[in-house]
Coordinates of all heavy atoms in Angstrom, one line a residue:
M1 N -30.5 40.1 12.4 CA -29.1 39.9 12.3 C -28.6 38.7 13.1 O -27.8 37.9 12.7 CB -28.3 41.1 12.7 CG -28.0 42.1 11.6 SD -27.4 41.4 10.1 CE -25.6 41.4 10.3
R2 N -29.1 38.6 14.3 CA -28.7 37.5 15.2 C -29.1 36.2 14.7 O -28.3 35.2 14.8 CB -29.3 37.8 16.6 CG -28.6 36.9 17.6 CD -29.0 37.4 19.0 NE -28.1 38.5 19.5 CZ -28.1 39.0 20.7 NH1 -29.0 38.5 21.6 NH2 -27.3 39.9 21.1
A3 N -30.2 36.1 14.0 CA -30.7 34.8 13.5 C -29.8 34.3 12.4 O -29.5 33.1 12.4 CB -32.1 35.0 12.9
I4 N -29.3 35.2 11.6 CA -28.3 34.8 10.5 C -27.0 34.3 11.1 O -26.5 33.3 10.7 CB -28.1 36.0 9.5 CG1 -29.4 36.3 8.8 CG2 -27.0 35.7 8.5 CD1 -29.4 37.7 8.1
F5 N -26.6 35.0 12.1 CA -25.3 34.6 12.8 C -25.4 33.2 13.4 O -24.5 32.3 13.2 CB -25.0 35.6 13.9 CG -23.9 35.2 14.8 CD1 -22.6 35.3 14.3 CD2 -24.1 34.7 16.1 CE1 -21.5 34.9 15.1 CE2 -23.0 34.3 16.9 CZ -21.7 34.4 16.4
Y6 N -26.6 32.9 14.0 CA -26.8 31.6 14.6 C -26.9 30.5 13.5 O -26.4 29.4 13.7 CB -28.0 31.6 15.5 CG -27.7 32.1 16.9 CD1 -28.4 33.3 17.4 CD2 -26.7 31.5 17.7 CE1 -28.1 33.8 18.7 CE2 -26.5 32.1 19.0 CZ -27.1 33.2 19.5 OH -26.9 33.7 20.7
L7 N -27.5 30.9 12.4 CA -27.7 30.0 11.3 C -26.3 29.6 10.8 O -26.1 28.4 10.6 CB -28.6 30.6 10.2 CG -29.1 29.7 9.2 CD1 -30.2 28.8 9.7 CD2 -29.7 30.5 8.0
I8 N -25.5 30.6 10.5 CA -24.1 30.3 10.0 C -23.4 29.4 11.0 O -22.7 28.5 10.7 CB -23.4 31.6 9.7 CG1 -24.0 32.3 8.5 CG2 -21.9 31.4 9.5 CD1 -23.7 33.8 8.4
L9 N -23.5 29.7 12.3 CA -22.8 29.0 13.4 C -23.3 27.5 13.4 O -22.5 26.6 13.4 CB -23.1 29.6 14.7 CG -22.2 29.3 15.8 CD1 -20.9 30.1 15.7 CD2 -22.8 29.6 17.2
I10 N -24.6 27.3 13.2 CA -25.2 26.0 13.2 C -24.7 25.2 12.0 O -24.2 24.0 12.1 CB -26.7 26.0 13.3 CG1 -27.1 26.5 14.8 CG2 -27.3 24.6 13.0 CD1 -28.5 27.0 14.8
I11 N -24.7 25.9 10.9 CA -24.3 25.2 9.6 C -22.8 24.8 9.7 O -22.4 23.7 9.4 CB -24.6 26.1 8.4 CG1 -26.1 26.2 8.1 CG2 -23.9 25.5 7.1 CD1 -26.5 27.3 7.2
S12 N -22.0 25.7 10.1 CA -20.5 25.4 10.2 C -20.3 24.3 11.2 O -19.4 23.5 11.0 CB -19.7 26.7 10.5 OG -20.2 27.3 11.6
A13 N -21.0 24.4 12.4 CA -20.8 23.3 13.4 C -21.3 22.0 12.8 O -20.6 21.0 13.0 CB -21.7 23.7 14.6
Y14 N -22.4 22.0 12.0 CA -22.9 20.8 11.4 C -21.8 20.2 10.5 O -21.5 19.0 10.4 CB -24.2 21.1 10.7 CG -24.7 20.0 9.8 CD1 -25.2 18.8 10.3 CD2 -24.5 20.1 8.4 CE1 -25.6 17.8 9.4 CE2 -25.0 19.1 7.5 CZ -25.5 17.9 8.1 OH -25.9 16.9 7.2
L15 N -21.2 21.1 9.6 CA -20.2 20.7 8.6 C -19.0 20.1 9.3 O -18.4 19.1 8.9 CB -19.9 21.8 7.7 CG -21.0 22.2 6.7 CD1 -20.6 23.5 5.9 CD2 -21.3 21.1 5.7
I16 N -18.6 20.7 10.4 CA -17.4 20.3 11.1 C -17.6 18.9 11.7 O -16.8 18.0 11.6 CB -17.0 21.3 12.2 CG1 -16.4 22.6 11.6 CG2 -15.9 20.7 13.2 CD1 -16.3 23.8 12.5
I17 N -18.8 18.8 12.4 CA -19.1 17.5 13.0 C -19.3 16.4 11.9 O -18.7 15.3 12.1 CB -20.4 17.6 13.9 CG1 -20.2 18.5 15.1 CG2 -21.0 16.2 14.3 CD1 -21.4 19.0 15.8
K18 N -19.9 16.8 10.8 CA -20.1 15.8 9.7 C -18.7 15.3 9.2 O -18.5 14.1 9.0 CB -20.9 16.5 8.6 CG -21.6 15.5 7.7 CD -22.3 16.3 6.6 CE -22.4 15.4 5.3 NZ -22.8 16.2 4.2
S19 N -17.8 16.3 9.0 CA -16.5 15.9 8.4 C -15.7 15.1 9.4 O -14.9 14.3 9.0 CB -15.7 17.2 8.0 OG -15.4 17.9 9.1
L20 N -15.9 15.4 10.7 CA -15.2 14.6 11.7 C -15.7 13.2 11.9 O -14.9 12.2 12.0 CB -15.3 15.3 13.1 CG -14.4 16.6 13.3 CD1 -14.7 17.2 14.6 CD2 -12.9 16.3 13.2
L21 N -17.0 13.0 11.8 CA -17.6 11.7 12.0 C -17.6 10.8 10.8 O -17.3 9.7 10.9 CB -19.1 11.9 12.5 CG -19.3 12.5 13.9 CD1 -20.7 12.7 14.2 CD2 -18.6 11.6 15.0
E22 N -18.0 11.4 9.7 CA -18.2 10.6 8.5 C -17.0 9.8 7.9 O -16.9 8.6 7.9 CB -19.0 11.3 7.4 CG -20.5 11.2 7.6 CD -21.3 11.6 6.5 OE1 -20.7 12.2 5.5 OE2 -22.5 11.3 6.5
P23 N -15.9 10.5 7.5 CA -14.9 9.8 6.7 C -14.0 8.9 7.6 O -13.4 8.0 7.1 CB -14.1 10.9 6.0 CG -14.6 12.2 6.5 CD -15.6 11.9 7.6
R24 N -13.9 9.2 8.9 CA -12.9 8.6 9.7 C -13.0 7.0 9.8 O -12.1 6.4 9.4 CB -13.0 9.1 11.1 CG -11.7 9.9 11.4 CD -11.5 10.3 12.8 NE -10.8 11.5 12.9 CZ -10.7 12.2 14.0 NH1 -11.4 11.9 15.1 NH2 -10.0 13.3 14.1
P25 N -14.2 6.5 10.2 CA -14.2 5.0 10.3 C -14.0 4.3 8.9 O -13.3 3.3 8.9 CB -15.6 4.7 10.8 CG -16.3 6.0 11.1 CD -15.4 7.1 10.5
R26 N -14.5 4.9 7.9 CA -14.3 4.3 6.5 C -12.9 4.3 6.1 O -12.3 3.3 5.7 CB -15.2 5.1 5.5 CG -15.8 4.2 4.4 CD -16.4 5.1 3.4 NE -17.5 5.9 3.9 CZ -17.7 7.2 3.5 NH1 -17.0 7.8 2.6 NH2 -18.7 7.9 4.0
N27 N -12.2 5.5 6.3 CA -10.8 5.6 5.9 C -9.9 4.7 6.7 O -9.0 4.0 6.1 CB -10.3 7.0 6.1 CG -10.7 7.9 5.0 OD1 -11.3 7.5 4.0 ND2 -10.4 9.2 5.1
S28 N -10.0 4.6 8.0 CA -9.2 3.8 8.8 C -9.4 2.3 8.5 O -8.4 1.5 8.5 CB -9.4 4.1 10.3 OG -10.7 3.8 10.7
A29 N -10.6 1.9 8.2 CA -10.9 0.5 7.9 C -10.2 0.2 6.5 O -9.6 -0.9 6.4 CB -12.4 0.3 7.8
D30 N -10.3 1.1 5.6 CA -9.6 0.9 4.3 C -8.1 0.8 4.4 O -7.5 -0.1 3.8 CB -10.0 2.1 3.3 CG -11.3 1.9 2.7 OD1 -11.9 0.8 2.8 OD2 -11.8 2.8 2.0
K31 N -7.6 1.7 5.3 CA -6.1 1.7 5.5 C -5.7 0.3 6.1 O -4.7 -0.2 5.6 CB -5.7 2.8 6.4 CG -5.2 4.0 5.7 CD -4.8 5.1 6.6 CE -5.2 6.5 6.1 NZ -5.3 7.5 7.1
I32 N -6.4 -0.2 7.1 CA -6.0 -1.4 7.7 C -6.2 -2.6 6.7 O -5.3 -3.4 6.6 CB -6.9 -1.7 9.0 CG1 -6.6 -0.7 10.1 CG2 -6.7 -3.1 9.5 CD1 -7.6 -0.5 11.1
R33 N -7.2 -2.5 5.9 CA -7.5 -3.6 4.9 C -6.4 -3.6 3.9 O -5.8 -4.6 3.5 CB -8.8 -3.4 4.3 CG -9.6 -4.7 4.1 CD -11.0 -4.5 3.5 NE -11.8 -3.7 4.3 CZ -12.6 -2.7 3.9 NH1 -12.7 -2.4 2.7 NH2 -13.4 -2.0 4.8
S34 N -6.0 -2.4 3.3 CA -5.0 -2.3 2.3 C -3.6 -2.7 2.9 O -2.8 -3.3 2.2 CB -4.9 -1.0 1.6 OG -4.6 0.0 2.6
R35 N -3.4 -2.3 4.1 CA -2.1 -2.7 4.8 C -1.9 -4.2 4.9 O -0.9 -4.7 4.6 CB -2.0 -2.0 6.1 CG -0.6 -1.6 6.5 CD -0.5 -1.1 7.9 NE -1.2 0.2 8.0 CZ -1.9 0.6 9.1 NH1 -2.0 -0.1 10.1 NH2 -2.4 1.8 9.1
T36 N -3.0 -4.9 5.4 CA -2.9 -6.3 5.6 C -2.8 -7.0 4.2 O -2.1 -8.0 4.1 CB -4.1 -6.9 6.3 OG1 -5.3 -6.4 5.7 CG2 -4.1 -6.5 7.8
R37 N -3.5 -6.4 3.2 CA -3.4 -7.0 1.8 C -2.0 -6.9 1.3 O -1.5 -7.9 0.8 CB -4.4 -6.3 0.9 CG -5.0 -7.2 -0.2 CD -5.8 -6.4 -1.1 NE -7.0 -5.8 -0.5 CZ -7.5 -4.6 -0.7 NH1 -6.9 -3.8 -1.6 NH2 -8.6 -4.2 -0.1
A38 N -1.4 -5.7 1.5 CA 0.0 -5.5 1.0 C 1.0 -6.5 1.7 O 1.9 -7.0 1.1 CB 0.4 -4.1 1.2
A39 N 0.7 -6.7 3.0 CA 1.6 -7.5 3.8 C 1.4 -9.0 3.4 O 2.4 -9.7 3.3 CB 1.2 -7.4 5.3
D40 N 0.2 -9.4 3.0 CA 0.0 -10.7 2.5 C 0.8 -11.0 1.2 O 1.4 -12.0 1.0 CB -1.5 -11.0 2.2 CG -2.3 -11.2 3.5 OD1 -1.6 -11.4 4.6 OD2 -3.5 -11.1 3.5
I41 N 0.7 -10.0 0.3 CA 1.4 -10.2 -1.0 C 2.9 -10.2 -0.7 O 3.6 -11.0 -1.3 CB 1.0 -9.0 -2.0 CG1 -0.5 -9.1 -2.3 CG2 1.8 -9.0 -3.2 CD1 -1.1 -7.9 -3.0
G42 N 3.4 -9.3 0.1 CA 4.8 -9.1 0.4 C 5.4 -10.4 1.0 O 6.5 -10.7 0.7
S43 N 4.6 -11.1 1.8 CA 5.1 -12.3 2.4 C 5.1 -13.6 1.5 O 5.9 -14.5 1.7 CB 4.3 -12.6 3.7 OG 3.0 -12.9 3.4
D44 N 4.3 -13.5 0.5 CA 4.1 -14.7 -0.4 C 4.8 -14.5 -1.7 O 5.2 -15.5 -2.3 CB 2.6 -15.0 -0.6 CG 2.0 -15.5 0.7 OD1 2.6 -16.1 1.5 OD2 0.8 -15.1 0.9
M45 N 4.8 -13.3 -2.2 CA 5.3 -13.1 -3.6 C 6.6 -12.3 -3.6 O 6.8 -11.4 -2.8 CB 4.2 -12.3 -4.4 CG 2.9 -13.0 -4.5 SD 3.0 -14.6 -5.4 CE 2.9 -14.0 -7.1
V46 N 7.5 -12.7 -4.5 CA 8.8 -11.9 -4.6 C 8.9 -11.5 -6.1 O 8.4 -12.2 -7.0 CB 10.0 -12.8 -4.1 CG1 10.0 -12.9 -2.6 CG2 10.0 -14.1 -4.8
Q47 N 9.7 -10.5 -6.3 CA 9.8 -10.0 -7.7 C 11.2 -10.4 -8.3 O 12.2 -10.3 -7.6 CB 9.7 -8.5 -7.7 CG 9.5 -8.0 -9.2 CD 9.2 -6.5 -9.2 OE1 9.4 -5.8 -8.3 NE2 8.7 -6.0 -10.4
D48 N 11.1 -10.9 -9.5 CA 12.3 -11.2 -10.2 C 12.9 -9.9 -10.7 O 12.3 -9.1 -11.3 CB 11.9 -12.1 -11.4 CG 13.0 -12.6 -12.3 OD1 14.0 -11.8 -12.5 OD2 13.0 -13.7 -12.7
L49 N 14.2 -9.7 -10.3 CA 14.8 -8.4 -10.6 C 15.2 -8.3 -12.1 O 15.4 -7.2 -12.6 CB 16.1 -8.2 -9.8 CG 15.9 -7.8 -8.3 CD1 17.2 -7.7 -7.6 CD2 15.1 -6.5 -8.2
Y50 N 15.3 -9.4 -12.8 CA 15.6 -9.4 -14.2 C 14.4 -9.2 -15.1 O 14.4 -8.3 -15.9 CB 16.4 -10.6 -14.6 CG 17.0 -10.5 -16.0 CD1 18.1 -9.7 -16.3 CD2 16.3 -11.2 -17.1 CE1 18.6 -9.6 -17.5 CE2 16.8 -11.0 -18.3 CZ 17.9 -10.2 -18.6 OH 18.4 -10.1 -19.9
C51 N 13.4 -10.0 -15.0 CA 12.2 -9.9 -15.9 C 11.0 -9.2 -15.2 O 10.0 -9.1 -15.8 CB 11.9 -11.2 -16.5 SG 11.3 -12.4 -15.2
N52 N 11.2 -8.8 -13.9 CA 10.2 -8.1 -13.1 C 8.9 -8.9 -12.9 O 7.8 -8.3 -12.6 CB 9.8 -6.8 -13.8 CG 11.0 -5.8 -13.7 OD1 11.7 -5.8 -12.7 ND2 11.3 -5.1 -14.8
T53 N 8.9 -10.2 -13.0 CA 7.7 -11.0 -12.8 C 7.6 -11.3 -11.3 O 8.7 -11.4 -10.6 CB 7.7 -12.4 -13.5 OG1 8.9 -12.6 -14.2 CG2 6.5 -12.5 -14.4
F54 N 6.4 -11.4 -10.8 CA 6.2 -11.8 -9.4 C 6.0 -13.3 -9.3 O 5.3 -13.9 -10.0 CB 5.0 -11.1 -8.8 CG 5.3 -9.7 -8.5 CD1 5.0 -8.7 -9.4 CD2 5.8 -9.3 -7.3 CE1 5.3 -7.4 -9.1 CE2 6.1 -8.0 -7.0 CZ 5.8 -7.0 -7.9
I55 N 6.8 -14.0 -8.4 CA 6.8 -15.4 -8.3 C 6.6 -15.7 -6.8 O 7.1 -15.0 -5.9 CB 8.1 -16.1 -8.7 CG1 9.1 -15.1 -9.4 CG2 7.9 -17.2 -9.7 CD1 10.3 -14.7 -8.7
P56 N 5.9 -16.8 -6.5 CA 5.7 -17.2 -5.1 C 7.1 -17.5 -4.5 O 8.0 -18.1 -5.1 CB 4.9 -18.5 -5.2 CG 4.3 -18.5 -6.5 CD 5.2 -17.8 -7.4
K57 N 7.3 -17.1 -3.3 CA 8.6 -17.2 -2.6 C 9.2 -18.6 -2.6 O 10.4 -18.8 -2.7 CB 8.5 -16.6 -1.2 CG 9.8 -16.1 -0.7 CD 9.6 -15.3 0.6 CE 10.9 -14.7 1.1 NZ 10.7 -13.9 2.3
E58 N 8.2 -19.6 -2.4 CA 8.7 -21.0 -2.2 C 9.2 -21.5 -3.5 O 10.2 -22.3 -3.5 CB 7.5 -21.9 -1.8 CG 6.6 -21.4 -0.7 CD 5.5 -20.5 -1.1 OE1 4.6 -21.0 -1.8 OE2 5.5 -19.3 -0.8
S59 N 8.7 -21.0 -4.7 CA 9.2 -21.6 -5.9 C 10.3 -20.7 -6.6 O 10.8 -21.0 -7.7 CB 8.0 -21.8 -6.9 OG 7.4 -20.6 -7.1
A60 N 10.6 -19.6 -6.0 CA 11.6 -18.6 -6.5 C 13.0 -19.1 -6.3 O 13.3 -19.9 -5.4 CB 11.4 -17.3 -5.9
I61 N 13.9 -18.8 -7.2 CA 15.3 -19.1 -7.1 C 16.0 -18.0 -6.2 O 15.9 -16.8 -6.6 CB 16.0 -19.3 -8.4 CG1 15.4 -20.6 -9.0 CG2 17.5 -19.3 -8.3 CD1 15.8 -20.8 -10.5
K62 N 16.6 -18.4 -5.1 CA 17.2 -17.5 -4.2 C 18.7 -17.4 -4.5 O 19.4 -18.4 -4.6 CB 17.0 -18.0 -2.8 CG 17.0 -17.0 -1.7 CD 16.6 -17.6 -0.4 CE 17.2 -16.9 0.8 NZ 16.9 -17.6 2.0
E63 N 19.1 -16.1 -4.7 CA 20.5 -15.9 -5.0 C 21.0 -14.8 -4.1 O 20.3 -13.8 -3.9 CB 20.7 -15.5 -6.4 CG 20.5 -16.6 -7.4 CD 21.7 -17.5 -7.7 OE1 22.7 -17.3 -7.1 OE2 21.5 -18.5 -8.4
V64 N 22.2 -14.9 -3.5 CA 22.8 -13.9 -2.7 C 23.9 -13.2 -3.6 O 24.9 -13.8 -4.0 CB 23.5 -14.4 -1.4 CG1 24.1 -13.2 -0.6 CG2 22.4 -15.1 -0.6
I65 N 23.5 -11.9 -4.0 CA 24.4 -11.2 -4.9 C 24.8 -9.9 -4.1 O 24.0 -9.1 -3.7 CB 23.7 -10.8 -6.2 CG1 23.3 -12.1 -7.0 CG2 24.6 -9.9 -7.1 CD1 22.2 -11.9 -8.0
S66 N 26.1 -9.7 -4.0 CA 26.8 -8.7 -3.2 C 26.1 -8.4 -1.9 O 25.7 -7.3 -1.5 CB 26.9 -7.4 -4.1 OG 25.6 -6.9 -4.5
G67 N 26.0 -9.5 -1.1 CA 25.5 -9.5 0.2 C 24.0 -9.3 0.4 O 23.4 -9.3 1.5
K68 N 23.2 -9.2 -0.7 CA 21.8 -9.1 -0.7 C 21.1 -10.3 -1.3 O 21.6 -10.8 -2.3 CB 21.3 -7.8 -1.5 CG 21.4 -6.5 -0.6 CD 20.9 -5.4 -1.5 CE 20.8 -4.1 -0.6 NZ 20.4 -3.0 -1.5
V69 N 20.0 -10.7 -0.7 CA 19.2 -11.8 -1.2 C 18.3 -11.3 -2.3 O 17.5 -10.4 -2.2 CB 18.4 -12.5 -0.1 CG1 17.6 -13.7 -0.6 CG2 19.3 -12.9 1.0
H70 N 18.4 -12.0 -3.5 CA 17.5 -11.6 -4.6 C 16.8 -12.9 -5.1 O 17.3 -14.0 -4.9 CB 18.4 -11.1 -5.8 CG 19.1 -9.8 -5.5 ND1 18.4 -8.6 -5.3 CD2 20.4 -9.5 -5.3 CE1 19.3 -7.7 -5.0 NE2 20.5 -8.2 -5.0
F71 N 15.6 -12.7 -5.6 CA 14.8 -13.8 -6.1 C 14.6 -13.7 -7.6 O 14.4 -12.7 -8.1 CB 13.4 -13.8 -5.3 CG 13.6 -14.0 -3.9 CD1 13.6 -12.9 -3.0 CD2 13.6 -15.3 -3.3 CE1 13.8 -13.1 -1.6 CE2 13.8 -15.5 -2.0 CZ 13.8 -14.4 -1.1
F72 N 14.6 -14.9 -8.2 CA 14.4 -15.0 -9.6 C 13.4 -16.1 -10.0 O 13.3 -17.1 -9.3 CB 15.8 -15.2 -10.3 CG 16.7 -14.1 -10.1 CD1 17.7 -14.2 -9.1 CD2 16.7 -13.0 -10.9 CE1 18.6 -13.2 -8.8 CE2 17.6 -11.9 -10.6 CZ 18.5 -12.1 -9.6
C73 N 12.8 -16.0 -11.1 CA 11.8 -16.9 -11.6 C 12.5 -18.2 -12.1 O 11.9 -19.3 -12.1 CB 10.8 -16.3 -12.6 SG 11.6 -16.0 -14.2
S74 N 13.7 -18.0 -12.6 CA 14.4 -19.2 -13.2 C 15.9 -18.9 -13.0 O 16.4 -17.8 -12.8 CB 14.1 -19.3 -14.7 OG 14.5 -18.2 -15.4
K75 N 16.6 -20.0 -13.2 CA 18.1 -20.0 -13.1 C 18.6 -19.1 -14.3 O 19.6 -18.4 -14.1 CB 18.7 -21.4 -13.3 CG 20.1 -21.5 -12.9 CD 20.3 -21.7 -11.3 CE 21.7 -21.4 -11.0 NZ 21.9 -21.0 -9.5
E76 N 18.0 -19.1 -15.4 CA 18.4 -18.3 -16.5 C 18.3 -16.8 -16.2 O 19.3 -16.1 -16.5 CB 17.3 -18.6 -17.7 CG 17.9 -18.4 -19.1 CD 16.8 -18.5 -20.1 OE1 15.9 -19.4 -20.0 OE2 16.9 -17.7 -21.1
C77 N 17.2 -16.4 -15.5 CA 17.1 -15.0 -15.1 C 18.2 -14.6 -14.1 O 18.8 -13.5 -14.2 CB 15.8 -14.7 -14.5 SG 14.5 -14.4 -15.8
S78 N 18.5 -15.5 -13.2 CA 19.5 -15.1 -12.2 C 20.9 -15.0 -12.8 O 21.7 -14.2 -12.5 CB 19.5 -16.2 -11.0 OG 20.3 -17.3 -11.4
N79 N 21.2 -15.9 -13.8 CA 22.4 -15.9 -14.5 C 22.6 -14.6 -15.4 O 23.6 -13.9 -15.4 CB 22.6 -17.1 -15.4 CG 22.9 -18.3 -14.6 OD1 23.4 -18.3 -13.5 ND2 22.5 -19.5 -15.2
K80 N 21.5 -14.2 -16.0 CA 21.4 -13.0 -16.8 C 21.6 -11.8 -15.9 O 22.3 -10.8 -16.3 CB 20.1 -12.9 -17.6 CG 20.2 -13.8 -18.9 CD 18.8 -13.7 -19.6 CE 18.8 -14.6 -20.8 NZ 17.4 -14.7 -21.3
F81 N 21.0 -11.8 -14.8 CA 21.1 -10.7 -13.8 C 22.5 -10.5 -13.3 O 23.1 -9.4 -13.3 CB 20.1 -10.8 -12.7 CG 20.1 -9.6 -11.7 CD1 19.5 -8.5 -12.0 CD2 20.8 -9.7 -10.5 CE1 19.5 -7.4 -11.2 CE2 20.9 -8.6 -9.7 CZ 20.2 -7.5 -10.0
K82 N 23.1 -11.7 -13.0 CA 24.5 -11.7 -12.5 C 25.5 -11.2 -13.6 O 26.4 -10.5 -13.3 CB 24.9 -13.1 -12.0 CG 24.5 -13.3 -10.5 CD 25.0 -14.6 -10.0 CE 24.1 -15.8 -10.2 NZ 24.6 -17.0 -9.7
A83 N 25.2 -11.5 -14.8 CA 26.0 -11.1 -15.9 C 25.9 -9.6 -16.1 O 26.9 -8.9 -16.5 CB 25.6 -11.8 -17.2
K84 N 24.7 -9.0 -15.9 CA 24.5 -7.6 -16.0 C 25.1 -6.8 -15.0 O 25.6 -5.7 -15.2 CB 22.9 -7.4 -16.0 CG 22.5 -6.2 -16.8 CD 21.0 -6.1 -16.8 CE 20.4 -5.8 -15.5 NZ 18.9 -5.5 -15.6
V85 N 25.2 -7.3 -13.7 CA 25.7 -6.6 -12.6 C 27.2 -6.5 -12.6 O 27.9 -7.3 -13.2 CB 25.2 -7.2 -11.2 CG1 26.0 -6.6 -10.0 CG2 23.8 -7.0 -11.1
Ligands
ZN106 ZN1 12.6 -14.1 -14.6

């Protein structure tokens, strides 16, 4: 009886240690990588609110509409968006 108890104890201890050690470094590395990737896209690309295309921030048309800064791929889109609002 005691042998089975120890066996269960060892197996559960092994599973706990395995679950603690294995996924952690992989997950945290993925999280950091995806976070930096999202930050890179966020700093360079902006979304056109009218046609929903992503455009580089430098070439986007910047419009301040009701106190908020919006970006558009073209003057046409900004005019259409302003007409819609
Ligand atoms: Zn557009």
Side-chain angles (χ1 to χ4, degrees):
M1 266 317 269
R2 195 167 274 186
I4 294 164
F5 173 74
Y6 279 121
L7 194 70
I8 291 164
L9 200 77
I10 290 162
I11 289 167
S12 55
Y14 167 74
L15 289 174
I16 290 164
I17 292 163
K18 201 184 154 194
S19 70
L20 286 175
L21 291 176
E22 272 195 349
R24 248 189 213 170
R26 215 188 298 142
N27 278 358
S28 58
D30 278 351
K31 259 179 219 160
I32 292 161
R33 224 178 295 138
S34 62
R35 210 185 294 145
T36 50
R37 212 185 294 138
D40 284 348
I41 295 164
S43 63
D44 295 322
M45 301 295 279
V46 286
Q47 194 175 15
D48 184 318
L49 284 177
Y50 187 75
C51 66
N52 294 320
T53 4
F54 283 93
I55 355 109
K57 206 170 183 176
E58 313 87 68
S59 60
I61 289 168
K62 202 172 154 186
E63 291 277 358
V64 181
I65 300 159
S66 56
K68 275 184 176 177
V69 181
H70 297 291
F71 296 95
F72 298 96
C73 68
S74 63
K75 196 79 197 160
E76 208 187 321
C77 276
S78 84
N79 288 338
K80 279 177 183 169
F81 183 79
K82 274 189 269 182
K84 206 173 72 171
V85 169

